[in-house]
Amino acid sequence: MSIDALTSILGTQKLFDNGQARVAETGNIDTEQVAEQVAAAIYHQQDPEMPDTYDKPQMKVYISESPEAMNARYNRLMELYGHGIAAVSVDLEAGYLDAMERMPEAVRDLDWGFSLRDGKLEIMEGSDSLTTGERIQIHAALRDAGVEYAAQPVADAVIEMIEVERGLSGLSKGIGQYDVNPSNFSEIVDLRRYVEEHLPGGKYGKGRVNPFDVEGRYFLGGHAMMDQIVVKADSTYFGDQSVLIRDYGEDAGDSPP
């Protein structure tokens, strides 16, 4: 006599024990109930509860990146993180210092910042409220000193650094998880703070052998940028770089490749 071990486990057969002989009494079995129990058992081995995608199959697509492509990507990432951002920060500092000389001391000493939004210079208030006149003075001084132009390569390098780290899947558990783009850059990065922290005696400008080596003071500028980014940016792209999860089903109007 054949005994179905799976349905026995699920309790759909009643067992009679006679020593070593085991006989199952079969009756009217609700096949739909069995199917539900089997599905539940399978999913419960992996998850604490039935997933939302039970009616819409979920597929994990593992993305393959060649060793050569991966090396090139990480070399570019480290170049930007270490020297790339530093190199374009030289002109930014020069423009900022020039702009500070153009401002009245009372305005210069106020707590304010500046950044870029979609390539346009934006002035941000700090702990001090700025009058319309003060905003105009700050903006004019920065513009006339070429800061808007000098800031663009810095913003571009930071955004590229983050995007490069994500890899082919567009996901990351590292710095690439953060959403930094031209439209929200000013909400995340204060370029005045960035420059001030790299001036001689600043947070990142301390202990340098040659304080006049401007690019040297900005070495590992990516680290200073991430100090601001991890606090203010959203982790929109958090995930496994090697896996892209896709949903398929009738509702999606799609099918696995």
Side-chain angles (χ1 to χ4, degrees):
M1 179 178 294
S2 174
I3 298 178
D4 189 334
L6 177 59
T7 53
S8 297
I9 293 172
L10 294 175
T12 55
Q13 290 182 322
K14 185 176 180 181
L15 294 178
F16 294 88
D17 196 346
N18 183 16
Q20 295 183 352
R22 296 170 64 82
V23 180
E25 178 183 69
T26 59
N28 295 328
I29 300 175
D30 187 337
T31 55
E32 291 185 3
Q33 181 181 6
V34 172
E36 291 177 359
Q37 289 174 310
V38 171
I42 292 172
Y43 279 106
H44 285 169
Q45 290 178 353
Q46 305 295 331
D47 304 306
E49 59 184 6
M50 190 76 76
D52 294 336
T53 55
Y54 178 66
D55 293 327
K56 183 188 293 184
Q58 188 178 78
M59 174 175 288
K60 289 185 177 180
V61 180
Y62 289 84
I63 299 175
S64 176
E65 184 177 24
S66 69
E68 294 79 11
M70 182 179 292
N71 286 337
R73 182 164 62 85
Y74 275 100
N75 286 340
R76 179 57 177 163
L77 170 63
M78 296 312 298
E79 177 189 355
L80 289 165
Y81 192 90
H83 296 283
I85 295 175
V88 293
S89 295
V90 175
D91 288 342
L92 177 63
E93 179 181 302
Y96 170 72
L97 294 178
D98 183 12
M100 293 292 279
E101 292 297 322
R102 297 168 184 261
M103 295 180 203
E105 184 177 355
V107 176
R108 185 170 62 232
D109 293 341
L110 293 174
D111 185 13
W112 51 268
F114 73 90
S115 193
L116 293 182
R117 180 187 293 273
D118 291 323
K120 300 298 182 181
L121 193 63
E122 186 164 293
I123 310 302
M124 297 97 68
E125 289 184 345
S127 57
D128 295 318
S129 297
L130 298 176
T131 65
T132 301
E134 289 166 345
R135 282 182 175 274
I136 292 174
Q137 287 179 307
I138 295 169
H139 191 280
L142 292 171
R143 181 198 60 216
D144 293 346
V147 169
E148 184 175 75
Y149 176 81
Q152 190 62 65
V154 177
D156 290 342
V158 173
I159 293 171
E160 182 186 354
M161 174 185 71
I162 291 172
E163 290 179 345
V164 165
E165 202 276 336
R166 288 178 195 150
L168 296 178
S169 70
L171 302 173
S172 172
K173 293 183 179 179
I175 66 175
Q177 67 183 278
Y178 298 103
D179 182 10
V180 183
N181 58 69
S183 296
N184 70 7
F185 191 80
S186 65
E187 300 171 14
I188 298 167
V189 176
D190 180 350
L191 291 174
R192 185 189 190 192
R193 170 186 163 185
Y194 171 72
V195 173
E196 287 283 352
E197 290 181 337
H198 284 85
L199 293 177
K203 179 178 179 180
Y204 300 106
K206 296 177 179 178
R208 299 296 184 187
V209 175
N210 182 4
F212 300 103
D213 176 12
V214 180
E215 185 174 338
R217 283 191 275 107
Y218 285 88
F219 177 62
L220 297 180
H223 177 72
M225 285 294 183
M226 292 311 301
D227 275 355
Q228 296 191 49
I229 290 169
V230 297
V231 174
K232 294 186 176 181
D234 294 329
S235 299
T236 304
Y237 303 100
F238 181 81
D240 190 338
Q241 286 186 326
S242 64
V243 180
L244 176 64
I245 299 178
R246 300 178 61 184
D247 291 335
Y248 297 97
E250 293 182 359
D251 293 339
D254 203 355
S255 58

